[in-house]
Amino acid sequence: MRRTPMTLALVAALLAGCGTMAPDYQRPAAPVDAAWPQGEAYALRPASGDPAALGWRDFFIDTRLQQLIGLALDNNRDLRVATLNIERARAMYQVQRADLFPAIDAAGSGTHQRTPASLSPNGNAAVTHQYSAGVGFASYELDLFGRVRSLNDAALERYLATEEARRGAQISLVAEVANAYLTLAADQERLVLARDTLKSQQESYGLTRRSFEAGVTSELDLRQAQTSVDSARVDVARFTAQTAQDRNALTLLVGASIPAELLPNQTLTPVAVLAEVPADLPSDVLVRRPDVLQAERTLRAANADIGAARAAFFPRITLTASAGSASNELSQLFQAGAGTWSFIPQITLPIFDGGRNRAGLDTARADRDIAVAQYEKSIQSAFREVADALADYGTMDEQLAAQQSLTQATEISYKLADARFRKGVDSYLAVLDSQRALYSAQQGLIGARLARQANLVTLYKALGGGWQEQAEVPPPANPG
């Protein structure tokens, strides 16, 4: 069977690029301890399961919060940008991958030329016509040393890195919506407490004023009661503005108007449930976090770039080939005997480039070393985030219990001080101090309950949970 140069060129293209000159990739060892920190702050208890494997719908038990997170995943603009970045990276990968295959084009042309008598070989003016049609490719590189394939591998890893960035953005968004929801609920409860306190202080002020008018109490007691009322009024105004700002922040995160029925109640209630963190949960769960995986994908891309930089030292072979037909008459273009072909191989061997290739390789190696350091730093940062969250997790119950006990004690103290004042045993200053202590303790209790719930969200995010229910991003299509 006769084989044309065009056929041979295509066979060579398929056989080229079987390997690369990139170094064998090895994941760097995690520069952190194999186990989480131990000590008084880390009160981990035996448990089963992996919190990082818990879907966010299973973690968040508040149905309104679940719906808000769903709305945010559909409408949040930052997450939408992250998704579009994946589409862009996928397209860029396809552009790079296309270099693995020859770009075959079909072309047709017609040339009409008049040659004057002074330039004609026979001394007569002449008009010539030429028509041609064919298929072929130009400057296709035979990837014998893996340069193009290395660039393709690097583009693929960068595409996958954007997918991990999108997952990381989703985890952050889920946590931000939950924290914004909790903050709004806590500030609403603080506002209710401030209003109740204002009402109580106004009633006390009314009694004190009548007592003053009757000559039973002094003006000092009256003015002290007034300061308590004014302080409560300040807090009511402050928390009114704060709750409005909290709603605005939550609306921005959700990316759409929030139905009133999805807003939290005026009290802070538990919205998340997390099983006890296993005491033997290894720290290598961090390598599954999207931000760590993104850093590793970037490292893999830098590793592939070294292969492309190494291949630049070797000869580069390019092929240009075409096959078709040509004739001086359009009607005879596709008749027998009009066939034509061309095959132009070209080899380029670098001899002197002023150190460009060496500098390119040094740059690629430096980029790889930078990527290694960034990967290791991402693991260290992730370890620190989890360790900090575990320190709060191990002590938060004790903090909450202590704050509850403090609130109960100050409430009893206030009742006793008020009773002593009404019996004339003590001054109103003692009542005022007890009121302020009780109000501060009640506000502190709300803050402690908020911190307990926020810590669960932080720990869940730090362990890499929150993306499992996301639809997987499909891999780029294979153009071959």
Side-chain angles (χ1 to χ4, degrees):
M1 181 178 66
R2 184 181 178 185
R3 292 183 174 86
T4 65
M6 180 75 170
T7 303
L8 295 175
L10 290 174
V11 172
L14 293 175
L15 294 177
C18 295
T20 70
M21 302 185 72
D24 292 335
Y25 175 77
Q26 293 183 349
R27 174 186 288 175
V32 295
D33 295 335
W36 306 113
Q38 303 293 321
E40 186 178 357
Y42 306 96
L44 297 180
R45 290 170 286 278
S48 60
D50 179 1
L54 189 64
W56 63 263
R57 292 186 184 276
D58 298 321
F59 176 71
F60 295 105
I61 59 175
D62 188 291
T63 57
R64 286 168 297 186
L65 178 55
Q66 288 179 355
Q67 295 180 63
L68 283 177
I69 292 175
L71 286 174
L73 294 179
D74 292 335
N75 298 292
N76 182 267
R77 298 313 189 268
D78 290 334
L79 188 61
R80 188 172 298 176
V81 169
T83 302
L84 293 174
N85 282 335
I86 293 179
E87 298 299 325
R88 182 181 183 278
R90 179 185 296 147
M92 294 298 295
Y93 168 69
Q94 296 289 12
V95 170
Q96 182 62 55
R97 183 174 176 80
D99 289 340
L100 292 173
F101 307 91
I104 300 176
D105 300 311
S109 66
T111 302
H112 308 275
Q113 181 177 352
R114 180 185 183 278
T115 303
S118 59
L119 298 178
S120 176
N122 57 12
N124 297 321
V127 177
T128 59
H129 306 276
Q130 181 177 343
Y131 302 91
S132 65
V135 294
F137 55 83
S139 300
Y140 170 69
E141 180 179 348
L142 286 179
D143 196 25
L144 299 178
F145 301 100
R147 188 187 74 87
V148 177
R149 188 166 294 275
S150 292
L151 294 175
N152 174 73
D153 292 343
L156 175 61
E157 293 297 339
R158 291 188 174 95
Y159 158 71
L160 296 175
T162 61
E163 181 181 342
E164 298 301 341
R166 194 263 186 226
R167 290 182 174 180
Q170 172 164 321
I171 291 178
S172 296
L173 177 60
V174 169
E176 287 174 3
V177 171
N179 283 325
Y181 182 87
L182 289 168
T183 300
L184 175 57
D187 285 341
Q188 287 181 161
E189 187 170 352
R190 290 186 175 109
L191 177 58
V192 171
L193 175 61
R195 286 173 175 169
D196 291 342
T197 301
L198 175 59
K199 182 179 179 181
S200 175
Q201 298 304 324
Q202 287 174 334
E203 293 175 352
S204 296
Y205 175 73
L207 291 175
T208 305
R209 183 171 184 174
R210 288 193 293 270
S211 298
F212 170 72
E213 292 172 349
V216 177
T217 59
S218 64
E219 184 177 1
L220 177 61
D221 292 336
L222 178 63
R223 298 311 172 194
Q224 288 174 338
Q226 183 179 354
T227 61
S228 181
V229 172
D230 292 337
S231 296
R233 289 175 56 197
V234 169
D235 281 352
V236 169
R238 178 163 61 92
F239 288 122
T240 298
Q242 188 63 52
T243 54
Q245 294 171 354
D246 293 340
R247 291 192 192 96
N248 295 336
L250 186 58
T251 300
L252 177 61
L253 288 172
V254 172
S257 298
I258 301 176
E261 62 271 15
L262 295 185
L263 293 173
N265 291 329
Q266 293 184 340
T267 57
L268 181 63
T269 57
V271 299
V273 173
L274 182 65
E276 300 295 347
V277 179
D280 58 349
L281 184 66
S283 64
D284 59 8
V285 299
L286 297 177
V287 300
R288 300 187 322 221
R289 279 182 33 150
D291 59 333
V292 176
L293 290 174
Q294 180 185 1
E296 185 176 9
R297 292 295 184 186
T298 302
L299 172 58
R300 286 178 176 272
N303 195 70
D305 285 336
I306 294 179
R310 286 177 172 176
F313 287 90
F314 294 86
R316 185 178 301 180
I317 300 175
T318 58
L319 304 178
T320 298
S322 65
S325 60
S327 175
N328 61 352
E329 295 289 342
L330 183 60
S331 60
Q332 300 177 0
L333 182 60
F334 297 105
Q335 291 185 358
T340 180
W341 57 263
S342 68
F343 178 57
I344 308 173
Q346 181 179 359
I347 182 170
T348 303
L349 178 63
I351 297 177
F352 176 76
D353 60 4
R356 181 187 302 274
N357 288 340
R358 172 57 61 183
L361 180 57
D362 291 342
T363 300
R365 286 172 173 167
D367 289 341
R368 191 267 314 273
D369 293 341
I370 292 172
V372 169
Q374 291 174 335
Y375 172 73
E376 293 174 342
K377 178 62 181 298
S378 69
I379 293 181
Q380 291 176 334
S381 298
F383 187 88
R384 186 265 173 95
E385 289 177 11
V386 176
D388 287 349
L390 288 175
D392 283 338
Y393 179 78
T395 59
M396 195 60 69
D397 287 341
E398 178 62 25
Q399 294 180 43
L400 184 58
Q403 190 64 43
Q404 289 173 335
S405 177
L406 175 63
T407 303
Q408 293 172 355
T410 53
E411 184 176 5
I412 295 174
S413 175
Y414 166 69
K415 292 179 179 178
L416 293 174
D418 185 65
R420 289 170 61 85
F421 169 71
R422 296 183 184 279
K423 292 182 178 179
V425 177
D426 211 342
S427 67
Y428 190 76
L429 181 59
V431 178
L432 182 62
D433 289 340
S434 298
Q435 284 178 336
R436 290 173 177 170
L438 175 59
Y439 180 68
S440 177
Q442 290 172 329
Q443 293 283 5
L445 181 58
I446 296 174
R449 288 163 50 206
L450 172 61
R452 181 71 177 91
Q453 289 292 301
N455 171 250
L456 293 180
V457 176
T458 300
L459 183 57
Y460 180 61
K461 172 190 172 184
L463 288 172
W467 62 265
Q468 289 81 354
E469 295 172 53
Q470 166 199 347
E472 292 293 330
V473 175
N478 189 336

